[in-house]
């Protein structure tokens, strides 16, 4: 893909001149007396001397193939694979919470699989709770996020804490999370963020799940706007034409400045990488895929027609086609098929956090056509914020409008805009509707006045104080604050100027407070 090739070419130049390999040998660090964090201990059942390959060698296939396209002699490593293990979980006070429980473990993720310290997925044989997360609910699937390119190691945890606060009012889901230290086959493996798998479950994304093999369309659909969609099974992907790629007015707090932007390639706007939709939930027929593809395309058209043409469109009884109507208002037409409160939540979360991937991936939504489903597109399960909050050159000083604005291709590094400019259509399409802005303003004001952000600051400070020794061990193990060649191009100059975890924490804390106050000046009633 063009964006990956450009990134990798520049990374190769940096590696050449830095003299770094980008594949550091981790230092040996011993975790003798846990002092503040829980410990996840993973033990493989296989005792073969090469068994640790399952956490050191795999790279996602599409990432490895991209690397091989520009690296002569590159040997494509194995794709991530499950290794049979047992998992022991010990609380911070060394109380054993899970004792050698059977599970399969593998590397997970996209580009992050190319780093030395890789994120992991745990799949238990039987559902387990970990550390009381999500009110003690039990699940088979859990994640360990490596936080490799975030020197503070606190961005994802802080972002998810904010999201849970903002979404709780609407009864919507965001992953719970906790920092842990990980040991694999007796080797200290560093600090990870234990988080929940983004999946359909009554205690996660709660929508109707079909029985295996069921082909009817009256089910729930969980989806991701995803720049990697083409690597999924064809049954699990589709494309949205966004009202025939109609132009959007970017939201910059000043009326758009006379600019417009399209989210797909166009002769006038230039080349863009394709962004499709991945269906993350189980489906079993082309009929189901075609139904949800048509529905999502039509919902966006309803939103665009309401905002830009002041027209109302409604679905037929089977939700397979739309027609113009003058019997209801454009706003009502949107509210019939979109949970606009959840969309306002999604805007606030992404505007606050300034994630570089906001147009590219990890932007989730769902709709439920089951017997108890409301048949409304609903935005929840926010995810993946290690490139957010000033870590990349996006709102790096905490000011400006971002989520519904023109944004640069995520490939851009410090001072680089990437290959092209684009926009998140879902966050931008209603941005200038007065009634929608009133909802955003109401939500922001209520959150700010209720102390949401003060509570998040307190948690952030507590995490930093609690994890100081653990962070030191982590960087003794990996040293990626200094050996940063594999991702240095991604960092804002402010992040690149940090050479200790404490400095990175200070930047994150100051950035977040500045960002909250900037948005409060605009959105507070």
């Amino acid at each position: 893909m063009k964006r990956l090739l450009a990134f990798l070419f520049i990374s190769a130049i940096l590696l050449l001149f830095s003299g770094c390999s980008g594949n550091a040998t981790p230092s040996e660090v011993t975790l003798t007396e846990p002092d503040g964090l829980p410990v996840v201990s993973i033990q493989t059942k296989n005792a073969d001397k090469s068994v640790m390959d399952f956490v050191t060698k795999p790279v996602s296939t599409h990432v490895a193939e991209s690397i091989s396209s520009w690296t002569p002699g590159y040997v494509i490593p194995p794709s991530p694979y499950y290794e049979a293990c047992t998992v022991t979980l010990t609380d911070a006070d060394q109380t054993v919470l899970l004792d050698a429980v059977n599970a399969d473990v593998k590397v997970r993720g996209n580009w992050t699989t190319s780093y030395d310290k890789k994120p992991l997925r745990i799949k238990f044989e039987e559902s387990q709770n970990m550390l009381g997360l999500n009110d003690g609910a039990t699940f088979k699937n859990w994640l360990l996020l490596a936080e490799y390119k975030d020197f503070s190691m606190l961005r994802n945890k802080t972002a998810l804490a904010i999201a849970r606060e903002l979404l709780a009012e609407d009864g919507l889901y965001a992953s719970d999370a906790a920092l842990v230290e990980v040991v694999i086959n007796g080797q200290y493996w560093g600090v990870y963020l234990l988080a929940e798998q983004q999946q359909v479950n009554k205690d996660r994304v709660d929508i109707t799940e079909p029985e295996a093999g069921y082909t009817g369309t009256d089910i729930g659909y969980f989806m991701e706007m995803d720049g990697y969609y083409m690597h999924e099974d064809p049954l699990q992907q589709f494309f949205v034409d966004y009202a025939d790629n109609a132009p959007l007015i970017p939201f910059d707090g000043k009326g758009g400045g006379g600019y417009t932007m399209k989210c797909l390639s166009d002769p006038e706007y230039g080349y863009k990488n394709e962004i499709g939709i991945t269906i993350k939930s189980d489906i079993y027929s082309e009929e189901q895929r075609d139904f949800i593809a048509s529905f999502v395309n039509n919902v966006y058209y309803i939103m665009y027609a309401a905002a830009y043409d002041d027209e109302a469109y409604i679905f037929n009884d089977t939700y397979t086609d739309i027609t113009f109507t003058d019997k209801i208002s454009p706003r009502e037409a949107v509210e019939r098929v979109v949970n606009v409160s959840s969309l306002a939540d999604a805007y606030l979360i992404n505007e606050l956090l300034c994630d570089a991937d906001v147009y590219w991936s990890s932007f989730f939504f769902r709709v439920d056509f089951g017997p108890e489903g409301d048949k409304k597109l609903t935005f929840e399960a926010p995810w993946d914020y290690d490139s957010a909050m000033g870590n990349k050159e996006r709102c790096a000083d905490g000011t400006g409008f971002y989520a519904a604005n023109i944004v640069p291709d995520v490939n851009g590094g410090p001072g680089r805009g990437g290959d092209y400019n684009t926009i998140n259509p879902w966050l931008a399409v209603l941005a200038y509707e007065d009634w929608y802005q009133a909802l955003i303003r109401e939500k922001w004001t209520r959150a700010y006045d209720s102390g949401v952000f003060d509570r998040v600051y307190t948690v952030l400070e507590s995490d930093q104080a609690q994890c100081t020794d653990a962070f030191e061990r982590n960087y003794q193990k990996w040293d990626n604050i200094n050996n940063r060649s594999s991702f240095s191009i991604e960092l804002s100059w402010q992040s690149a100027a940090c050479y200790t975890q404490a400095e990175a924490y200070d930047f994150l804390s100051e950035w977040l407070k500045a960002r909250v106050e900037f948005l409060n000046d605009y959105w507070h009633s």
Side-chain angles (χ1 to χ4, degrees):
M1 293 183 296
K2 184 178 178 183
R3 62 182 291 274
L4 283 176
L5 292 175
F7 169 79
L8 293 167
F9 174 76
I10 298 171
S11 295
I13 298 298
L14 289 175
L15 288 173
L16 178 64
F17 285 98
S18 68
C20 297
S21 68
N23 293 295
T25 301
S27 302
E28 292 300 322
V29 178
T30 302
L31 182 60
T32 53
E33 293 290 335
D35 52 358
L37 287 185
V39 175
V40 176
S41 180
I42 298 168
Q43 183 70 39
T44 62
K45 294 184 178 180
N46 182 355
D48 188 89
K49 64 180 181 179
S50 64
V51 69
M52 289 294 286
D53 288 356
F54 88 103
V55 292
T56 61
K57 290 190 175 181
V59 175
S60 288
T61 301
H62 60 276
V63 174
E65 288 174 348
S66 294
I67 295 172
S68 69
S69 69
W70 64 271
T71 309
Y74 178 78
V75 177
I76 292 182
S79 298
Y81 59 92
Y82 280 114
E83 186 69 36
C85 300
T86 60
V87 175
T88 298
L89 174 63
T90 307
D91 205 348
D93 63 3
Q94 302 186 49
T95 300
V96 176
L97 303 177
L98 298 177
D99 189 4
V101 178
N102 289 329
D104 292 327
V105 180
K106 74 171 183 177
V107 169
R108 51 84 60 196
N110 289 300
W111 190 254
T112 51
T113 63
S114 69
Y115 298 145
D116 295 328
K117 181 189 178 191
K118 302 174 188 292
L120 304 173
R121 176 177 174 178
I122 298 173
K123 187 174 183 179
F124 288 108
E125 284 186 4
E126 297 181 0
S127 295
Q128 308 289 337
N129 180 259
M130 300 191 79
L131 297 176
L133 297 179
N134 197 341
D135 295 325
T138 61
F139 310 96
K140 289 185 177 181
N141 295 291
W142 295 87
L143 304 180
L144 291 167
L145 305 183
E147 312 297 18
Y148 192 70
K149 64 182 179 183
D150 171 16
F151 297 153
S152 77
M153 303 196 75
L154 292 168
R155 279 179 169 80
N156 270 318
K157 186 174 187 297
T158 302
L160 292 173
I162 291 170
R164 286 196 302 277
E165 286 261 20
L166 295 180
L167 292 175
E169 181 180 87
D170 291 325
L172 300 174
Y173 168 75
S175 171
D176 205 353
L179 291 160
V180 298
E181 292 186 274
V182 173
V183 175
I184 303 177
N185 282 3
Q187 297 183 46
Y188 179 73
W189 219 250
V191 175
Y192 279 75
L193 184 67
L194 174 66
E196 300 183 63
Q197 171 83 3
Q198 304 293 86
Q199 67 175 119
V200 175
N201 183 286
K202 66 182 180 63
D203 292 308
R204 286 177 175 169
V205 178
D206 187 11
I207 55 177
T208 301
E209 293 188 77
E211 296 288 338
Y214 180 73
T215 61
T217 60
D218 55 338
I219 61 173
Y221 303 84
F222 180 41
M223 295 160 281
E224 176 189 5
M225 190 172 77
D226 184 10
Y228 299 108
Y229 81 105
M230 73 290 294
H231 303 295
E232 301 293 334
D233 186 286
L235 188 64
Q236 299 292 137
Q237 58 169 274
F238 63 88
F239 197 69
V240 181
D241 67 14
Y242 296 110
D244 198 23
N245 204 19
L248 294 159
I249 300 172
F251 185 79
D252 60 359
K254 302 174 184 177
Y259 293 99
T260 59
M261 179 52 59
K262 294 184 177 182
C263 58
L264 306 176
S265 291
D266 179 90
E268 180 181 351
Y269 291 83
Y271 166 86
K272 303 177 194 291
N273 285 308
E274 284 191 355
I275 312 294
I277 304 294
T278 295
I279 303 171
K280 307 298 289 187
S281 52
D282 291 333
I283 64 170
Y284 299 97
S285 69
E286 292 183 1
E287 180 187 9
Q288 292 168 336
R289 181 202 58 203
D290 294 346
F291 171 80
I292 192 58
S294 173
F295 176 80
V296 172
N297 271 280
N298 280 325
V299 167
Y300 184 83
Y301 189 89
I302 290 170
M303 297 169 76
Y304 191 90
Y308 284 82
D309 301 324
D310 197 31
E311 293 179 346
Y313 284 79
I314 57 173
F315 274 101
N316 58 9
D317 291 342
T318 57
Y319 288 88
T320 55
D321 199 9
I322 58 173
T323 56
F324 171 79
T325 181
D326 58 5
K327 303 300 183 184
I328 61 174
S329 68
R331 172 181 176 177
E332 185 179 352
V334 172
E335 291 177 330
R336 285 189 178 192
V337 293
V338 178
N339 181 331
V340 292
S341 186
S342 75
L343 182 61
D345 292 332
Y347 166 76
L348 285 174
I349 291 167
N350 286 283
E351 186 68 275
L352 175 62
L353 301 177
C354 293
D355 180 34
D357 290 325
V358 69
Y359 78 95
W360 175 253
S361 66
S362 300
F363 186 78
F364 291 94
F365 45 90
R366 51 88 167 173
V367 61
D368 194 351
F369 284 91
E372 298 180 6
D374 63 5
K375 303 176 178 63
K376 292 185 178 184
L377 206 64
T378 300
F379 298 80
E380 64 177 333
W383 188 248
D384 195 6
Y385 292 99
D386 59 350
S387 291
M389 291 180 271
N391 205 29
K392 293 193 77 164
E393 198 70 32
R394 310 290 190 269
C395 314
D397 64 356
T399 66
F401 291 89
Y402 184 74
N405 203 351
I406 295 172
V407 295
D409 165 35
V410 71
N411 188 53
R416 303 175 180 89
D419 295 334
Y420 55 84
N421 289 328
T422 189
I423 198 166
N424 181 309
W426 299 102
L427 296 179
V429 65
L430 297 180
Y432 286 99
E433 293 296 277
D434 290 342
W435 59 270
Y436 180 63
Q437 288 194 11
L439 176 60
I440 292 171
R441 195 173 302 279
E442 176 187 339
K443 280 178 170 288
W444 175 271
T445 301
R446 189 161 56 247
Y448 187 91
D449 290 351
S450 70
V452 164
F453 304 113
D454 289 335
R455 290 192 292 277
V456 169
Y457 301 151
T458 299
V459 171
L460 180 59
E461 292 168 4
S462 176
D463 286 339
Q464 177 65 13
Q466 180 185 20
C467 300
T468 299
D469 292 340
F471 288 146
E472 182 177 349
R473 283 190 291 271
N474 178 84
Y475 285 116
Q476 287 176 357
K477 171 74 174 179
W478 297 105
D479 195 33
N480 51 296
I481 289 183
N482 294 304
N483 182 31
R484 57 179 66 181
S485 56
S486 61
F487 57 87
S488 60
I489 192 173
E490 298 193 52
L491 302 175
S492 67
W493 71 261
Q494 294 94 327
S495 280
C498 298
Y499 279 90
T500 67
Q501 188 279 330
E503 290 174 351
Y505 161 77
D506 288 341
F507 169 53
L508 171 61
S509 179
E510 291 165 5
W511 185 94
L512 183 58
K513 291 173 182 177
R515 185 67 180 158
V516 167
E517 292 312 311
F518 172 83
L519 292 178
N520 196 56
D521 286 344
Y522 189 91
W523 286 117
H524 197 282
S525 295

